[in-house]
């Protein structure tokens, strides 16, 4: 159960970062081009690092959930 909730929480965080935060950087890039991105790079890099950490957290949660489902459902059902 813990892996499932951790995965949902990580997914929610990622959706917020990708849908709200990084969209603003895309708008800056569209408006000001490379110069704008150079100016906001000090803010972009922490956002990218946070996104990477959340993707890693989601990955580990999903791997744990997959392991539990395999153990409890797939292997248990195969044993009879």
């Amino acid at each position: 159960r813990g892996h499932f909730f951790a995965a949902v929480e990580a997914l929610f965080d990622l959706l917020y970062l990708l849908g709200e935060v990084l969209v603003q950087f895309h708008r800056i890039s569209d408006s000001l081009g490379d110069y704008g991105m150079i100016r906001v790079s000090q803010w972009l890099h922490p956002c990218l690092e946070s996104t990477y950490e959340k993707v890693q957290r989601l990955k580990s949660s999903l791997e744990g959930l997959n392991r539990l489902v395999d153990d409890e459902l797939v292997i248990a059902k195969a044993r009879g």
Side-chain angles (χ1 to χ4, degrees):
R1 197 180 285 201
H3 289 290
F4 177 74
F5 289 125
V8 170
E9 182 182 2
L11 184 60
F12 180 76
D13 290 345
L14 274 171
L15 288 174
Y16 174 75
L17 279 172
L18 296 174
E20 297 291 330
V21 177
L22 292 177
V23 167
Q24 302 305 322
F25 289 109
H26 185 69
R27 288 182 181 162
I28 291 170
S29 175
D30 286 345
S31 308
L32 302 173
D34 290 340
Y35 176 74
M37 291 310 295
I38 290 169
R39 298 296 296 166
V40 297
S41 66
Q42 63 189 7
W43 297 329
L44 176 63
H45 289 281
C47 289
L48 293 175
E49 290 170 6
S50 178
T51 302
Y52 176 77
E53 291 168 5
K54 292 184 188 310
V55 166
Q56 292 302 316
R57 194 171 78 202
L58 177 62
K59 178 185 171 202
S60 67
S61 297
L62 290 176
E63 286 172 346
L65 182 63
N66 185 44
R67 222 175 305 115
L68 288 173
V69 168
D70 280 348
D71 292 344
E72 295 297 320
L73 297 177
V74 176
I75 294 175
K77 192 171 186 178
R79 289 182 186 159

